[in-house]
Amino acid sequence: MDPHDPAGSIADMADRCRNWGRWGEDDVLGTLNFIDDAKRLEAARLVQTGRTFSLAQPFNMDGPQRGWRRRTNPVHTMLDTGTDAEYGNQGFPHGLGGADDIIAMPLQCSTQWDGLGHIFDRGKAWNGRRAGQVVTSDGDHFTGIETTVDQFVSRGVLLDVGRALAEDLGCDEPELPDGFAITFEHIEATMERQGITASVGRGDILLIRTGQYGRSLREGWGTYAGGPAPGLSFTTAPWLHEREVAAVATDTWGFEVRPNEFESAFQPLHQVVIPNMGLFIGEMWNLEGLAAHCAAESRYEFLLTAAPLPITGAVGSPLNPIALL
Amino acid sequence: MDPHDPAGSIADMADRCRNWGRWGEDDVLGTLNFIDDAKRLEAARLVQTGRTFSLAQPFNMDGPQRGWRRRTNPVHTMLDTGTDAEYGNQGFPHGLGGADDIIAMPLQCSTQWDGLGHIFDRGKAWNGRRAGQVVTSDGDHFTGIETTVDQFVSRGVLLDVGRALAEDLGCDEPELPDGFAITFEHIEATMERQGITASVGRGDILLIRTGQYGRSLREGWGTYAGGPAPGLSFTTAPWLHEREVAAVATDTWGFEVRPNEFESAFQPLHQVVIPNMGLFIGEMWNLEGLAAHCAAESRYEFLLTAAPLPITGAVGSPLNPIALL
Amino acid sequence: MDPHDPAGSIADMADRCRNWGRWGEDDVLGTLNFIDDAKRLEAARLVQTGRTFSLAQPFNMDGPQRGWRRRTNPVHTMLDTGTDAEYGNQGFPHGLGGADDIIAMPLQCSTQWDGLGHIFDRGKAWNGRRAGQVVTSDGDHFTGIETTVDQFVSRGVLLDVGRALAEDLGCDEPELPDGFAITFEHIEATMERQGITASVGRGDILLIRTGQYGRSLREGWGTYAGGPAPGLSFTTAPWLHEREVAAVATDTWGFEVRPNEFESAFQPLHQVVIPNMGLFIGEMWNLEGLAAHCAAESRYEFLLTAAPLPITGAVGSPLNPIALL
Amino acid sequence: MDPHDPAGSIADMADRCRNWGRWGEDDVLGTLNFIDDAKRLEAARLVQTGRTFSLAQPFNMDGPQRGWRRRTNPVHTMLDTGTDAEYGNQGFPHGLGGADDIIAMPLQCSTQWDGLGHIFDRGKAWNGRRAGQVVTSDGDHFTGIETTVDQFVSRGVLLDVGRALAEDLGCDEPELPDGFAITFEHIEATMERQGITASVGRGDILLIRTGQYGRSLREGWGTYAGGPAPGLSFTTAPWLHEREVAAVATDTWGFEVRPNEFESAFQPLHQVVIPNMGLFIGEMWNLEGLAAHCAAESRYEFLLTAAPLPITGAVGSPLNPIALL
């Protein structure tokens, strides 16, 4: 990559990692094609204890969003309350009372999947379709997140890069500093350190913990949403491509390192991997509890069920990923 | 039950099925306490093929809601589109384009869990708390759905009552007619017909298919949201109590039979099982694909991951339940 | 107009009524330019009694919307309630209690102005700008309704066509039947019948009552939102152009007659008058009380204050128009 | 007032200023009863030039809200865009294109009226009703803002306290410092300085400019929403009561001085004037343009049309107030 030439570097990397046509002209699943029944069966057989971890952040007004591109925190309001029920002004018979509620939220406000219609490269969406034909004001007509409704079940692998590198980096906490670019060498070092259960291969859903979310819990959100953060280096695209992972999620707002590695750029790795590779990206996942448990047990693989809400035409979805160990 | 006396019948049934204090004064999980790691491990071991089924209905404007108590269908709108990206008016560098979206939806608009704060009995919420102290305009301060964030993983059992009884009822389709009350005799008959994999016990998540959702797909929604429907009889409460199920979900709007079995009543079974028994209820689940598969394979048990969105203080949650067989 | 050729007829009519460039290249106000301080002073001098009429429909869930193009009725929910305040669970000191609320609504859900960015003709917006440069996912960058924030004050004139023609049409109520096309002859006849206070000229805001809203109050909404309705004929465009009115509002969903007068068309008069003439259109106004009063007093002119909410970048706005007589 | 005893001081002041029963048991209009047709006619006769000023702040994401009690800035999103129209993917015939939009906003997010159901005093709402019977989760059943739909037209009077006192206070700008409590002496001094057109009497809508909004335009919002601000002193309640004003609006978030004048209190003047006096309060009004004009012309009275959106059951409303001079 040439730090002075993001456009050229992105074009080259996109050529190198492009999967257009690999699963046919009509494909809408991209790298989810790497998951099949056999893979899921293998994943189910990893379960040893029945212990679960939710990998979702809370959905509430105290979240990290600051309004960028109208991304607010979720606004949850009550349509009916227990106070009214106890007061007796709901009009129901025989002592029945009820509470109901409603939410308004950007689909990217908290723990989420980016759908394949979330990012475009020079006017093109996944599989080479024209961006303007894929996502209009009516939503995503091809790769809406509903097409993945039953797909996100596979072997999950946690790479706790924050924990693996902290000592070498002189960090007191098992966390990477903001602005730290995770290269494939860092990934390989983490895998080696974590051992055999941390191998990464075809169809896996890869979870990369930087530790930034844990730091935010301790120190407050600050600029978690869009500011400096540890994350994947632009240069990891070929590694992700070769490993044939089905999806990658991180505990940060933006998946890739911020500031981005070019002199002037905006989320260049997204531009390569989503529309060109067809890779699903998860962001703002809460890996803290899972990571502590994995470290204690020295075991980093599990059955991961990470189902999006099937919102028709959505270019992403909030979710509550569940690891079953 | 006395059809002329819903209040008295509800009071008696509530006394009979009440679990207040069973898991301590501070309990917020109710019947989810029946699920433990061993149960989940047992459930994971049921997986034989790696086949998945999503049990969610689509989330879009074409859903069943008609505005009752301000329950609308979900409104999904775009914050950024591919058309804009291709047109080149988004202001991003190096050919990057993006699409983003937002949703506004009642939490009970489509496939959902009722939380324990959803229904009250004579001013009392689950575990005997005062309704007005549990759910205010700020949400549920005790039993918000976020408390169940990592709980809904267990053995799922499908009881396809619609398919089991259709022939005896003279129905052409494997569906119960609207207004049909499913008694425990019907449940037992279905279990017997389905065989050993349809046994129901402690910690199971029970899925009851009436077939009404399939009928709606064929014939249109009509009054699916709130009108006549097949569903559980009020008299099944003790059976649900004795079996110690962790949760029950149906493919209907309202779980219990409608019109309700009393001369004049509104959701009396809800009033017994949610605040008194502490039972979690799922509604508007899509059991069509799963049921056809189970019938073909004569196998009715599976690993079920049914994680709510952890919306802080919510009295319910939309979700995408995943059965892994 | 040729009923078999909407495209050709629209093109001809657009050429005839186009005001592009009339108020300079940068204009964003269109026909509002016809209102000046002298006009407003003249309008203020019409006030004789101090009587007011609101011309707004109620904003609530019982409105006419049925979901077309995601236009729902307004959803109003409480953030804080009096029940909570009286119960004492709000946490305020010294006996203070409060209620707050929130609304989600399409800007075209009830009584509203169409902004100049609401309709395009063959890819062009008002004053000849490219539609894609004017209204993106971020809103209207040129003619957002906020540009009219202090403009909608002028002489209002009510033409009660429903009342004027009912007798000749054999209608029992002072209402036009659905599908009735109001031509300029009907307008002139109404003006003549109403007398000198019903003259229409430069800068006036013209209110045309068909009576359909009154009928809906009596008979229910039915297909008020988008179905058959009385309204302006396509052929009235030149009359509106020559009279130099500042704006026109009706008591119907769609301003123009429906079904439209062509064999197959959709709102052709909108396509002529909004992007080409620069005319502001009001819809779903409640003219019932005002019309009864005007008929009783035989006086049809008044000071009209019809201020939109200055929502930045909006292509329309809900409002509460006030007539002061 | 006793700064150590807010509860006692509020109780005394409430007794002194209470209007309960003054306009009958069923009254819902409070001090709006001071406006009648004669008053509105008098107001219309004040118009001399036809010049208008909008007194609304912009409604957009760049507003002052910071999320307190879930009050966000308005979120405006597009349902259809010009980009799609120009691209040709909307599906309309004969070259028609359209744009539509939607908004979600707390009713107190920007320029607004507080309705009479907005504040309670020791469990009581306006006219002595029980708070829990007036405002439930379904909204305000008595004093919903829709009851005022045609009421807010009267003589407006601007008291530009910021401009009147700045010199004496040694301020460079015509603005009061944050935390400055405006007493009735300050009000009287301002009236005297402004002259005869600034007299205040029965039925007037009083606009009090502190200058804080102008300062925020220059220096950024900071803590405009809820932080320190100039505003009315608690001690002005009797003056407002005696003058029989119909409503009072300011250019600040909270109407009264902040921090409040008691050792520990929250909006004590609200607690006196809304539920007890029945006074309508306007907040976050933009008085900058009007004030500059009035100062230049030495004329401070005008026709004010300040119509709320008639949202059924709302305890307040956004609006665009129009002064016509």
Side-chain angles (χ1 to χ4, degrees), chain A residues 69-70 135, chain B residues 78-82 84 90 98-101, chain C residues 137-138:
Chain A
R69 291 185 89 73
R70 287 172 288 173
V135 187
Chain B
M78 301 308 298
L79 296 169
D80 297 291
T81 67
D84 280 334
Q90 293 191 316
D100 251 41
D101 38 14
Chain C
S137 296
D138 286 336

Side-chain angles (χ1 to χ4, degrees), chain C:
Chain C
M1 57 169 281
D2 174 356
H4 308 296
D5 181 18
S9 301
I10 290 166
D12 289 348
M13 194 67 95
D15 287 346
R16 188 166 163 192
C17 301
R18 189 172 289 126
N19 280 323
W20 295 357
R22 181 169 179 169
W23 297 285
E25 254 185 35
D26 297 334
D27 181 68
V28 295
L29 294 180
T31 53
L32 290 176
N33 284 289
F34 291 130
I35 306 176
D36 58 15
D37 284 3
K39 179 75 188 179
R40 283 189 283 255
L41 180 57
E42 173 205 325
R45 290 188 172 150
L46 296 173
V47 180
Q48 296 185 342
T49 66
R51 179 81 183 264
T52 54
F53 288 91
S54 160
L55 310 182
Q57 295 188 15
F59 284 69
N60 59 41
M61 282 291 280
D62 299 324
Q65 301 298 333
R66 301 154 59 95
W68 180 75
R69 291 184 89 73
R70 285 171 289 171
R71 286 193 195 158
T72 65
N73 290 306
V75 180
H76 168 241
T77 55
M78 301 308 298
L79 296 169
D80 297 292
T81 67
T83 324
D84 280 334
E86 187 178 333
Y87 197 95
N89 58 20
Q90 293 191 317
F92 289 119
H94 50 69
L96 179 82
D100 251 40
D101 38 13
I102 193 168
I103 200 163
M105 60 176 167
L107 299 184
Q108 309 259 342
C109 66
S110 184
T111 305
Q112 110 274 354
W113 282 123
D114 287 351
L116 294 187
H118 177 51
I119 297 290
F120 313 105
D121 180 12
R122 288 159 283 168
K124 292 294 171 60
W126 162 241
N127 229 16
R129 298 181 184 100
R130 290 179 60 185
Q133 291 177 337
V134 174
V135 187
T136 72
S137 296
D138 286 336
D140 185 325
H141 301 270
F142 289 81
T143 42
I145 203 72
E146 76 280 6
T147 58
T148 70
V149 67
D150 57 359
Q151 296 290 314
F152 283 102
V153 178
S154 192
R155 176 175 176 262
V157 187
L158 174 72
L159 295 188
D160 190 347
V161 187
R163 205 170 303 258
L165 303 191
E167 196 176 341
D168 288 354
L169 293 170
C171 301
D172 291 340
E173 304 284 345
E175 299 160 8
L176 301 176
D178 291 336
F180 185 90
I182 301 170
T183 63
F184 82 94
E185 290 90 349
H186 297 131
I187 294 176
E188 298 277 357
T190 302
M191 288 168 63
E192 187 163 349
R193 186 183 169 110
Q194 292 186 181
I196 186 76
T197 63
S199 67
V200 174
R202 185 185 183 95
D204 287 335
I205 298 177
L206 180 56
L207 311 184
I208 294 184
R209 180 183 173 276
T210 69
Q212 194 202 19
Y213 178 63
R215 183 159 62 243
S216 299
L217 290 178
R218 202 173 56 243
E219 302 181 357
W221 289 117
T223 59
Y224 179 86
L232 287 180
S233 167
F234 180 74
T235 59
T236 58
W239 186 88
L240 296 171
H241 188 46
E242 286 152 22
R243 291 284 169 147
E244 301 189 327
V245 295
V248 185
T250 68
D251 59 347
T252 63
W253 173 83
F255 173 66
E256 53 190 294
V257 62
R258 290 184 61 80
N260 303 132
E261 294 151 292
F262 295 93
E263 276 186 348
S264 172
F266 187 77
Q267 303 296 75
L269 184 55
H270 276 69
Q271 190 173 340
V272 169
V273 300
I274 295 180
N276 290 290
M277 200 186 295
L279 182 69
F280 285 82
I281 292 178
E283 289 160 338
M284 292 184 271
W285 290 37
N286 167 11
L287 305 174
E288 295 306 289
L290 174 67
H293 182 84
C294 287
E297 303 289 322
S298 294
R299 193 159 176 275
Y300 295 88
E301 61 185 349
F302 37 84
L303 173 63
L304 180 68
T305 304
L309 279 189
I311 301 163
T312 306
V315 296
S317 176
L319 81 155
N320 178 3
I322 299 288
L324 178 58
L325 281 73

Side-chain angles (χ1 to χ4, degrees), chain D residues 79-112:
Chain D
L79 296 169
D80 297 291
T81 66
T83 324
D84 281 334
E86 188 179 333
Y87 198 95
N89 56 22
Q90 293 190 316
F92 289 120
H94 50 69
L96 179 83
D100 251 41
D101 37 14
I102 194 168
I103 200 163
M105 61 175 167
L107 299 185
Q108 310 259 342
C109 67
S110 184
T111 306
Q112 111 273 353

